[in-house]
């Protein structure tokens, strides 16, 4: 298997790549496996072994743990079971890099991951190569591997893509926690948009809609079964709320007015002393009202002008909900969101707005994407069946206390997103690239 | 206004009443107001002023605070606004007995309520009488009070009924916390049922259903608007899970098997060291497998035999979900629950089971009722509008992080429950009279 | 046994006594026992049963618990062992009212004491009468009780006096926590002193001193053995630091300057947001610099003028130490304090200052007394032997993590204090009547 | 300046040195400076850059932080002030690597040190070289640096030695936290002693003793002023308590018997679930009573047999005190410990015991040394004056809430210890190489 991973060790610190480089559609699962595994190494190329040790908040893991755990997934659920004669790389890794699969093996407390200086990064890279080689072998067998093995390899590929996004999310937090505030990559040279269209809520007709994954392609178990949901007419904004718009909410006392907040949200504001999105520094008291904010990104600290017209990011569900309340609107349900592509648009809309359904946007990969908090709790679809065996713990057991996010972010790997994709986080979570799309009545 | 409240002070400790005495349907709001206010005093008759000081867990309030706060509600939202010339009983009570209405007035931290030895209980009883007299006066005005005033008095009556239930819930916890374990009332003389019918899941056809309050009667804002929901066919158990059945779950390692639990639930089991429902003492290691449990109730500690065939109570949503999982079923959604009355039953069912829909049961008041955890998160119905003004904080701001319970319990006042009634608590809550009704596929 | 306790129930709320009334020297232990037991009831006379339920901070206990526990002490350590045929009042009280004697019986967690609405206050008063009668009987036996019984009764009397002081300390905190801020007693009519003498540090010669209790009178085990300590010359202030002087420290940024504080103290300032002594409200930003403070006392809230020249009270060891540092001095060791009476004063001092040793002041009971934080950790004297049996837990096991206070306060019962008396609290403790006496070099 | 540090980068992982290699006495401060700086690099040679990122408990810091902070000390307190034209290595390092000197500069929260992946280890090694070169230059100036500069360099050398010890203490905890339990160095080949002499308490006469540093050599400010202390006769054990002896305490229920413990200690046992010293694994239930313990060391996990006759290590003050209580003895005060060398031994002692005073042992560097918990709180000596300026924060502000340890451990650099040396930690601290020397009455 050839990818620039083989040269990672010598060149790791030498160049900084564009983390968002697109992957072309592949002819085969094997090609897709190789491409995704290589892309992970590309993503960590700007990082030192020391960077990969940092675990700066309970949500995050050290990057080197992500490198190991994604390999553990292939070894534990595919190679051990389906590759005859497979030799495990290291007997302790079965439990050491288990994340949370209680029925598979024991696992260390999550907070201990920051103590894993051993195995060394070099050894973890060898582990990756060992696993890559074995998967290649499994895929090259004459009659091909069992269909279940193929399905799990595909799951493993999507699993790795999820961790690619987490690597970026976690390293942003790690670098923000470092008082020196290093940057993961150089700033893009393209200028920020000087203005944006005003927000318009595009009306959608309701009715009985099918929700959930459709067709033969891959999806996670939580996107099934496809089932019917009744929707009343509703409206969805054609774009996300920008930083400049969110700054108006702050300037209007947004973080000081309990009547705008859910009760749990107001408690979070008080206890955690929130006064702006997670990576905003400063006080917003500039002459222009907002110009003294500075916003930390993967390219380091940005002046507010540079991000003013970008979608606000790194806010909790509570902040999204309070903003929507303040703006006189609400958040969409995940069903409204998913159905938007399929619903008829009511009334006469300008041509450029007619196509603006969220589901149409999810194929686009650009810096302006954010995970969109919905008003839906993360719950099983009626008739939900988790995957059999330990993989049943992948999604199902987290269906409590979390809210659904839809759409994807600038850090989501290209090709990873579907209209039926359900992301989920606890409502106080702010370390994600999460933003706001407003919804409202169809008027 | 005449009720036995006037003799409360002298007779308070002398007799123990049946807290579940029924209230006949009244001809008028005035009569209903009086009856409910009197019933509150009846409920606290077995308690001493010292008992009414105890606040034994974060969910609970001291009983005397409930007595004051329910009066504060009438004073703050009705008398101040609608009774010309009304003199407030005490100027500080406006904030002292405010629970959580941020837009109405400041309020003390909830945990401070246990320091309210002053105002004395006697003064709070005078406060009640002062408010009662003023509401009487308002209701007696020639042309009658404004419709908004009437609507708020009705809301206040339902509000007081909610606190009647909390008084019993809180005093049970208070007496359980007291190492001497006193009883609130004598044990009933009626013997516990010697056996129960096996659980049967009764099938219901799905389709498009109307959900939410219907008609002219009272409801809370969170039961509106009535709206359509699509349901797939489903099945509902004809009765709740009993203590004996729950003891089998425990004996089968229910609290030691992570695969049965939601992730948050398993964390709660570990951190809070749950090994049985809240008020179960002992170890369940009797010769019969369960006979060594003892269960604390409002009538003091009961042997397990006495409660074995009663519905299990005081369990969290997590425990309800894990039990359902263990039993091979699931919890119903709140929509399945509410629609059960209106759905056609599929197949040939014995006559005695045909009528067993939860919504038909809610009028029955008996010792076997428990709030029924559903699989639904507490969220706004599409088109939800909170009440205007401060009363908008009554329900809406709590629509986050909680699960819906349906049905009512043995401590819910008679006449307080509706098929559309939505109770809600955080999923780890165990101090409520909460139980399990199983649901499943329609087969 | 006749004391006004017999009429407590009917008159409890009717009058407010002076908590500091002096007790004349008694001819016998029996008389002293009776007087002390009566005085406890006098102290609680202004309180309602509801007041006696409040436990407003981890340091405090409900007053009714103090009433029961002090009786438990006599029952557990004297009557059970030395009065033949003694019938315990209630079998559960042996563990219910045990405070911390691990080797005597189990005991409930301290925080549960606020759930003890049962036994009712009335029952606890009967318990007191039961115990009083039995001790009377024991003391009246022909040949007199065993010397060990007499010694333990004397210990019980001193134990009860300690709890008398705690009753006042705890009720002050309870009433401060109550948002209505009730007063325990009316304010004294005597005007506050209009001015005080400047602080002067009186020099003492050092040398080899005997420290610890001397003579035949009662003392606690922690005051023994009397042993020698070498002191270098030192100086002690002739009076305590006043509120006005402490306000200067605040105005000079005392709570904002880390260089003045011990490291643990500075952490406490940050975490607990200290900015003034415990019972000071307001902001100290009056025109006069200090006049906007208000200070809560057993007589309710006082304007700063009323307390400006009284000793500052309710400060932690950390605050005392920081003040001393700011003032260019230090706190005295407990040995310097105790030896002050015995040391020669160096130099020519005015007559009125020559007698001002702390040990001479401890017999005076007045409103200006405060426990005086020393620079000494609470550790065993060399050769310390705890009392035998369970009573060995009285003092010894607390000799870790605490600082010694000397002298007594306005709430210490008259006759309870000795020059060798060692009080002790953790250095962050502020709910005590604790103040500052400065020490320094002998120059 | 030549030391093997110059080759550190290439050889870091190649060899494992003996961390306890002795440093010969040097002719000059310059030579001593160089030797100590080189020894630090030798100590970290077995570690990878990833190892140096781990911060596994609140007491610990990452090793790379120690490397930077010790250089920061020389830069901040010596080079900036005394070397004309000195260029700081990096302007941010002044606050980034400040530990706790409030009056010098701001500093990051201690827990953030684990996020310092940047500056990279390489940059920190360059920082060390930059500082080393500058100190060399300062020392080489014609007339020599100012006496104050020389005094501070000497302080910096001792400061670095303290951090050398912390590096070993912290890496042991880091490797214990790592589930793979790597070893820092290979096990010594010398066999453990097969037996030890029984403990004997050697009597010492009391009297007036001088305590504190004496003479012209270096000492910390907390060892001064030398002052007189009166001691009663006492006795001190001739050796430390061994692991085998401590295992007897465990087998006798030591961790289950509250009567043996200080109250705070018993609380720690309950809350932290202590049942053996920090690095003991297993259950001690072997046939031999103790053989199933395994003890983690810098050389990895050892069977109990290998350490049975070594001094017990990594215990808290509470455990030391409970053991002494169980053994019928007590811990010595720091004054008894320090005076032991100077006191006359009473009675007829065998020759081999006559010389066994702790102060005589402190020059010996061997694997059997442990810091010895004393019964003394860490408090200022009478007349204590902290160093002027920011260096006054070095010791003085920690004189609260900690206990003194005397003697040194197997990880203390050779030549670093004095009879008057006062180490100090909070009584619950277990991550240090801390042990027990018993004391008692002189009989």
């Amino acid at each position: 298997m050839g990818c620039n991973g083989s040269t990672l060790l010598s060149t790791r610190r030498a160049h900084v790549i564009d983390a968002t480089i697109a992957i072309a559609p592949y002819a085969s699962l094997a090609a897709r496996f190789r491409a995704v595994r290589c892309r992970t190494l590309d993503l960590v190329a700007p990082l030192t072994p020391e960077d990969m040790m940092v675990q700066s908040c309970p949500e995050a893991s050290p990057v080197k743990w992500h490198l190991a755990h994604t390999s553990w997934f292939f070894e534990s659920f595919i190679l051990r079971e389906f590759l005859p004669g497979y030799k495990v790389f290291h007997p302790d890794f079965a439990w050491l890099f288990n994340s949370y699969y209680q029925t598979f093996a024991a696992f260390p407390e999550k907070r201990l991951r920051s103590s894993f200086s051993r195995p060394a990064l070099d050894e973890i890279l060898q582990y990756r190569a060992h696993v890559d080689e074995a998967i290649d072998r499994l895929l090259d067998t004459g009659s091909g591997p069992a269909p279940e093995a193929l399905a799990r390899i595909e799951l493993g590929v999507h699993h790795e893509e999820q961790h690619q996004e987490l690597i970026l999310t976690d390293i942003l937090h790690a670098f923000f926690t470092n008082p020196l505030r290093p940057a993961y990559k150089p700033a893009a040279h393209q200028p920020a948009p000087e203005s944006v269209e005003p927000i318009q809520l595009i009306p959608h007709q309701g009715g009985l809609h099918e929700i959930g994954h459709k067709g033969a392609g891959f999806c996670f178990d939580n996107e099934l079964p496809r089932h019917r949901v009744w929707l009343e007419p509703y409206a969805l904004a054609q774009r996300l709320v920008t930083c400049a718009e969110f700054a108006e909410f702050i300037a209007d006392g947004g973080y000081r007015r309990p009547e705008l907040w859910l009760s749990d949200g107001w408690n979070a504001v008080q206890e955690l002393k929130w006064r702006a999105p997670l990576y905003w520094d400063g006080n917003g008291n500039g002459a222009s009202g907002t110009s003294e904010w500075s916003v930390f990104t993967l390219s380091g600290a940005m002046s507010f002008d540079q991000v003013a017209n970008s979608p606000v990011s790194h806010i909790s569900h509570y902040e999204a909900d309070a903003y929507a309340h303040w703006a006189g609107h609400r958040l969409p349900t995940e069903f409204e969101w998913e159905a938007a592509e399929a619903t008829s648009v009511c009334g006469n809309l300008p041509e450029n707005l007619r196509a603006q359904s969220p589901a149409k946007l999810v194929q686009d990969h650009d810096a302006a994407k954010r995970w969109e908090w919905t008003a839906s709790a993360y719950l099983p679809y009626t008739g939900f069946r988790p995957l059999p065996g330990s993989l049943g713990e992948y999604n199902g057991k987290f269906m409590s206390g979390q809210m659904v996010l839809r759409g994807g972010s600038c850090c989501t790997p290209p090709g990873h997103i579907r209209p039926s994709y359900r992301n989920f986080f606890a409502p106080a979570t702010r370390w994600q690239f999460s933003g706001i799309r407003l919804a409202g009545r169809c008027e």
Side-chain angles (χ1 to χ4, degrees), chain A residues 283-310:
Chain A
N283 56 25
N285 291 332
S288 71
T290 61
S291 66
E292 300 209 1
W293 293 111
S294 133
V295 178
F296 188 73
T297 73
L298 285 170
S299 300
M302 297 279 173
S303 74
F304 196 78
D305 288 346
Q306 292 175 280
V307 299
N309 289 328
S310 299

Side-chain angles (χ1 to χ4, degrees), chain A residues 17 65 89 108 127 153 189 243 281 301 336:
Chain A
I17 60 141
W65 182 89
F89 181 77
Y127 180 36
I153 292 173
H189 292 296
C243 288
D281 276 319
E336 291 170 339

Side-chain angles (χ1 to χ4, degrees), chain A residues 182-302:
Chain A
Y184 167 77
K185 63 175 182 185
H189 292 296
Q190 66 192 74
E194 293 205 355
S195 66
V196 289
E197 295 287 314
I199 280 186
Q200 281 188 269
L201 267 64
I202 305 174
H204 292 265
Q205 286 181 338
L208 198 58
H209 285 272
E210 293 215 330
I211 295 292
H213 184 67
K214 174 179 163 187
F218 173 84
C219 75
F220 289 114
D221 56 3
N222 64 8
E223 300 169 51
L224 292 175
R226 189 158 168 92
H227 65 291
R228 286 165 289 183
V229 168
W230 181 267
L231 296 177
E232 304 295 334
Y234 64 100
L236 274 188
Q238 94 282 17
R239 65 160 173 82
L240 303 190
V241 170
T242 64
C243 288
E245 286 163 340
F246 199 85
E248 288 175 45
F249 165 77
I250 301 176
D252 194 35
Y255 285 92
R256 297 189 306 271
R257 292 167 53 187
E259 71 274 17
L260 299 174
W261 295 78
L262 288 163
S263 181
D264 286 352
W266 184 245
N267 291 342
V269 168
Q270 303 301 303
E271 282 167 30
L272 303 172
K273 302 191 186 356
W274 290 347
R275 47 191 286 281
L278 175 55
Y279 295 128
W280 290 28
D281 276 319
N283 56 25
N285 291 332
S288 71
T290 61
S291 66
E292 300 209 1
W293 293 111
S294 133
V295 178
F296 188 73
T297 73
L298 285 170
S299 300
M302 297 279 173

Side-chain angles (χ1 to χ4, degrees), chain A residues 241 245-246 249 260 318-328 436 438:
Chain A
V241 170
E245 286 163 340
F246 199 85
F249 165 77
L260 299 174
Y318 299 134
E319 287 159 298
D321 182 83
Y323 179 89
H325 193 159
W326 172 79
I436 310 170
L438 296 174

Side-chain angles (χ1 to χ4, degrees), chain A residues 29-100:
Chain A
L29 179 60
R32 183 157 169 79
F33 171 79
R34 283 173 201 146
V36 167
R37 296 284 285 176
C38 285
R39 186 175 181 275
T40 302
L41 295 186
D42 284 347
L43 282 175
V44 303
L47 303 176
T48 66
E50 294 169 68
D51 292 336
M52 298 194 211
M53 285 292 298
V54 179
Q55 181 178 31
S56 55
C57 65
E59 292 93 342
S61 296
V63 169
K64 67 184 278 195
W65 182 89
H66 289 296
L67 295 179
H69 168 70
T70 46
S71 304
W72 168 92
F73 191 93
F74 288 107
E75 180 174 79
S76 300
F77 295 126
I78 295 133
L79 295 173
R80 283 172 176 271
E81 209 165 325
F82 295 100
L83 182 60
Y86 175 71
K87 288 220 176 99
V88 299
F89 181 77
H90 189 298
D92 284 329
F93 285 15
W95 56 268
L96 191 65
F97 293 116
N98 182 9
S99 51
Y100 55 63

